[in-house]
Amino acid sequence: MHDAPKDDGRLLRLTPAARAGLSVSFAVALYGLSFGALSVASGLTFWQTVALSALMFTGGSQFALIGVLASGGSPATAFTGATLLSVRNTIYAVQLKALLNPTGLARYGAAQVTIDESMAVATAQQTQAERRRGFWITGVGVYIGWNIATVIGAVAGDHIAEPEALGLDGAVVAAFLALLWPRLRSKEPWALAVLAALVTTLTMPAVPAGIPILIAAGVAVIWGLISARRQEAVSRA
């Protein structure tokens, strides 16, 4: 029997984390086409659309912003809603500090690519080297792919009558399901997944777009705290 090859920590290795990161990057980049086309259709210029993806770089907030503008809302309202949705990235940043503790200039790069996808791939890994590899490959891959797709979508937007009809958002959902599926190995993760889906579904008609996912995330955090205390009590008994 041979031992598995030791991970030397090099970032660019085609490991499971790297493959997951590349797959997610490709799926999310496809969705960027839809954003570029919808942004131009909502009234933003080509360069405003490109700047949003390069600087804001958080898909949910970007879609929320152009959605408010397209419906006649003020820029202040649009930016308030987009900023609210970005609050989750602050939570991710705290978690990232504990997981990877980036230092020096890497901190600024990590701050820019701390998004749902990079954190999901990183936290799904079992070793420190794989977490680091998954975070950076996913974050940088999504950033490059998303911005290229935004440019293509913005240029082609005038020739696409209904960009949302392309169904590109389905690629993102499929990518997240692929990440989630291996972690559903016991009853508790299944129960939490069902509860989060139920909370999201019930709150969608009552609150603005994007808020249901924040509420579901809050429920998941409370669940995690209660579960951790319960396990601690059992271990002391």
Side-chain angles (χ1 to χ4, degrees):
M1 180 176 179
H2 299 286
D3 294 333
K6 186 177 180 180
D7 193 331
D8 58 8
R10 286 186 295 125
L11 190 64
L12 299 179
R13 289 188 61 191
L14 196 56
T15 63
R19 284 192 287 271
L22 292 174
S23 299
V24 170
S25 299
F26 179 73
V28 176
L30 289 178
Y31 198 25
L33 291 171
S34 182
F35 170 75
L38 286 171
S39 180
V40 172
S42 69
L44 270 66
T45 67
F46 170 82
W47 288 112
Q48 287 172 333
T49 298
V50 171
L52 270 181
S53 282
L55 301 176
M56 180 179 282
F57 185 54
T58 170
S61 297
Q62 293 178 231
F63 276 105
L65 188 145
I66 64 172
V68 173
L69 293 178
S71 61
S74 67
T77 302
F79 275 104
T80 299
T83 301
L84 181 60
L85 286 179
S86 297
V87 168
R88 69 188 189 283
N89 290 343
T90 303
I91 301 173
Y92 293 157
V94 174
Q95 191 176 6
L96 175 69
K97 177 72 175 176
L99 275 178
L100 304 179
N101 191 26
T103 58
L105 293 177
R107 290 182 298 174
Y108 301 102
Q112 182 65 3
V113 299
T114 298
I115 53 177
D116 299 327
E117 293 81 3
S118 58
M119 290 305 298
V121 173
T123 54
Q125 309 309 315
Q126 300 298 318
T127 68
Q128 184 70 5
E130 282 288 80
R131 293 189 191 103
R132 174 173 169 269
R133 188 175 289 117
F135 173 81
W136 283 109
I137 289 179
T138 307
V140 175
V142 170
Y143 186 83
I144 295 173
W146 179 265
N147 279 279
I148 292 175
T150 294
V151 171
I152 297 173
V155 171
D158 292 338
H159 308 288
I160 303 175
E162 296 181 6
E164 63 273 32
L166 296 176
L168 296 174
D169 51 336
V172 180
V173 176
F176 271 100
L177 283 176
L179 285 172
L180 176 64
W181 194 258
R183 313 196 78 175
L184 301 178
R185 296 173 178 171
S186 62
K187 292 181 180 178
E188 184 169 350
W190 271 105
L192 178 56
V194 171
L195 177 61
L198 182 63
V199 169
T200 303
T201 303
L202 293 176
T203 54
M204 282 178 65
V207 298
I211 300 301
I213 192 66
L214 294 177
I215 298 174
V219 171
V221 169
I222 294 172
W223 179 297
L225 292 173
I226 295 174
S227 179
R229 288 186 178 182
R230 185 183 302 162
Q231 290 179 3
E232 186 177 349
V234 170
S235 63
R236 287 178 178 175

